[in-house]
Amino acid sequence: MFQRTRRAWQNWSAAPAPDVAAWVNDFYRTLPAGARTSAPDVAREYGRALYRRYDSFLRGKSVSTRPYYVGLSSRMPDFTHLTKRVALVADTMLLSEHGSGPVHALGEDVDMPLLSADPNGASDSALLRWRYGIVTEDLAGLGRWLLDAEPLLRSGLVWYGPAYTQGSSGMQMGTVRESLLESGPLPSFQDRSIDFVVEHGRAVDVSRTKPLASRVVRPVLEIDLPFIDGLSLHDFAQATSEEFDSYTHYRDFMRARLLELDDALEAVDSQVALERIALSIRDEMHAAVAEMSSATRTRAFTRSGAVLGTTSAVLAAVRPDALQGALSFSATLAAGATGLWPTIQAFADNKPRHAQGKWHYVWVLQKRTARRRRA
């Protein structure tokens, strides 16, 4: 077993680091439609699909020079809270669990390692078989998270690293099956990828190798961000994917503001410093959102006026009787009939698209949060 694992790791270490996001997109694209109706099945399919690639993906993380590629370990019930917050400051976030909970078997894997070789070139090999599974306290919760966070995983912002366990179930040499490695309990989980362990809402820095990430990850879990706290993970992930350019601008802004904390996070007045930044962010957010809402209303009015003027000019030039009819029956049209007024209203309701500013992203999140609270 040791020989197989060591040889596989050596081969992966020599290979280029794979693209996690590309694999994730393939996973969701090929996920059977029937599996999506069962959250536990989604989790199992993810675990099976990732199993042989996992070490290479971890290697890609370990050699990455991006300071904001971070790995966090937490309990499953905290995944939604962590995802919505850490995604606001991280380039890519690897989420894993603490490795406690029941083992969920995924299946059996096989390999044929080289056991020995003599000077004449003869060699001997064996067929190794072992069971493998993942450790999670809530398989259904994991599946729901994988479905709700799908846009984030597809964008390369987040991915999940299972707590894999494996145990040997036997060895076959030639045509004879020998029970040299008896079945036994799956071994305990050990992780190599975690930078922060999250307990009770706070991140403990365990890597000490990513000071910039520590400056932003730890405070973003504590700072008051009301525009996302009432938002579902599904809505957050969808908005972040749809407003990706605006999101990246806001992410840079959040990093800059949290880095202003400098050493205050270690000082006695760390909570005071955090509250000052939270108040500053809220003030800027409210001012920007108010300005954007006002601009949206102005744009809608201008558009409706432009459409009315253009339509009137065309109808007056081509069909004066049609213009007179449209204006005469405006009340009926406004009540739902097809015609001039619904066209104007459609333009008035059209929201600005392709916005690049950082506050547009916050504006979208806040609107979704408000809509959810009214529901």
Side-chain angles (χ1 to χ4, degrees):
M1 189 64 184
F2 172 77
Q3 289 176 330
R4 183 203 69 82
T5 303
R6 182 177 64 181
R7 180 173 290 108
W9 174 253
Q10 288 172 342
N11 291 339
W12 282 329
S13 297
D19 185 348
V20 179
W23 173 82
V24 168
N25 275 279
D26 285 341
F27 166 74
Y28 281 111
R29 180 175 53 81
T30 59
L31 183 65
R36 286 181 174 269
T37 63
S38 169
D41 286 347
V42 172
R44 292 190 187 94
E45 291 289 343
Y46 183 95
R48 293 189 187 102
L50 181 62
Y51 178 65
R52 282 184 167 268
R53 299 171 176 83
Y54 187 49
D55 275 342
S56 59
F57 287 167
L58 291 186
R59 173 191 166 268
K61 179 184 181 303
S62 68
V63 301
S64 173
T65 58
R66 290 183 293 162
Y68 297 108
Y69 187 173
V70 298
L72 294 94
S73 173
S74 81
R75 296 181 63 249
M76 174 57 63
D78 298 329
F79 265 35
T80 293
H81 177 79
L82 287 177
T83 303
K84 291 191 298 180
R85 286 176 167 266
V86 179
L88 295 179
V89 295
D91 287 333
T92 299
M93 173 174 49
L94 164 60
L95 268 178
S96 188
E97 294 179 74
H98 291 333
S100 60
V103 173
H104 301 271
L106 298 179
E108 188 177 71
D109 203 1
V110 298
D111 194 14
M112 186 177 290
L114 181 66
L115 295 181
S116 63
D118 61 35
N120 297 323
S123 62
D124 192 10
S125 63
L127 186 65
L128 276 177
R129 299 177 181 272
W130 63 94
R131 297 177 302 139
Y132 71 99
I134 58 174
V135 177
T136 175
E137 59 181 315
D138 185 357
L139 192 67
L142 171 59
R144 286 191 295 270
W145 180 87
L146 287 168
L147 290 173
D148 289 341
E150 178 177 345
L152 299 180
L153 275 81
R154 283 179 171 270
S155 300
L157 297 176
V158 184
W159 66 289
Y160 172 73
Y164 281 114
T165 61
Q166 58 188 30
S168 299
S169 58
M171 177 184 288
Q172 181 173 320
M173 301 183 67
T175 59
V176 180
R177 175 86 176 215
E178 300 185 20
S179 298
L180 300 178
L181 301 174
E182 294 183 359
S183 301
L186 294 173
S188 61
F189 166 70
Q190 292 182 346
D191 197 276
R192 310 184 297 274
S193 60
I194 299 304
D195 303 306
F196 302 92
V197 174
V198 180
E199 293 281 5
H200 308 295
R202 294 177 178 270
V204 179
D205 188 348
V206 295
S207 69
R208 302 295 179 187
T209 60
K210 296 192 174 184
L212 287 180
S214 183
R215 294 285 191 194
V216 298
V217 168
R218 295 169 66 189
V220 82
L221 295 180
E222 300 180 40
I223 199 168
D224 184 23
L225 298 172
F227 62 92
I228 62 170
D229 286 342
L231 197 62
S232 71
L233 177 59
H234 176 269
D235 285 344
F236 174 84
Q238 188 177 47
T240 301
S241 177
E242 292 173 354
E243 310 295 340
F244 194 81
D245 289 338
S246 180
Y247 152 76
T248 57
H249 288 302
Y250 185 75
R251 184 176 62 187
D252 289 343
F253 165 78
M254 283 292 293
R255 289 173 182 170
R257 297 309 301 269
L258 294 177
L259 286 173
E260 292 174 4
L261 283 169
D262 198 27
D263 292 327
L265 200 63
E266 308 295 341
V268 176
D269 60 347
S270 61
Q271 291 302 314
V272 175
L274 272 177
E275 183 58 21
R276 285 200 187 105
I277 288 185
L279 287 171
S280 174
I281 291 175
R282 284 200 296 273
D283 286 344
E284 293 181 63
M285 179 192 76
H286 290 319
V289 168
E291 182 178 349
M292 289 186 66
S293 298
S294 176
T296 300
R297 288 192 296 270
T298 302
R299 254 194 313 270
F301 180 79
T302 302
R303 285 177 178 174
S304 63
V307 173
L308 177 59
T310 302
T311 305
S312 299
V314 171
L315 290 178
V318 180
R319 291 188 58 195
D321 56 328
L323 173 61
Q324 182 64 36
L327 296 178
S328 299
F329 293 96
S330 60
T332 303
L333 297 173
T338 58
L340 179 62
W341 180 252
T343 303
I344 296 173
Q345 191 63 40
F347 272 81
D349 289 340
N350 187 30
K351 301 299 185 294
R353 296 177 182 269
H354 311 299
Q356 302 294 317
K358 59 180 177 290
W359 295 115
H360 176 76
Y361 172 65
V362 177
W363 179 66
V364 171
L365 292 179
Q366 189 181 54
K367 286 176 70 67
R368 290 184 179 230
T369 301
R371 190 182 305 125
R372 182 177 179 82
R373 286 171 178 166
R374 289 196 300 267

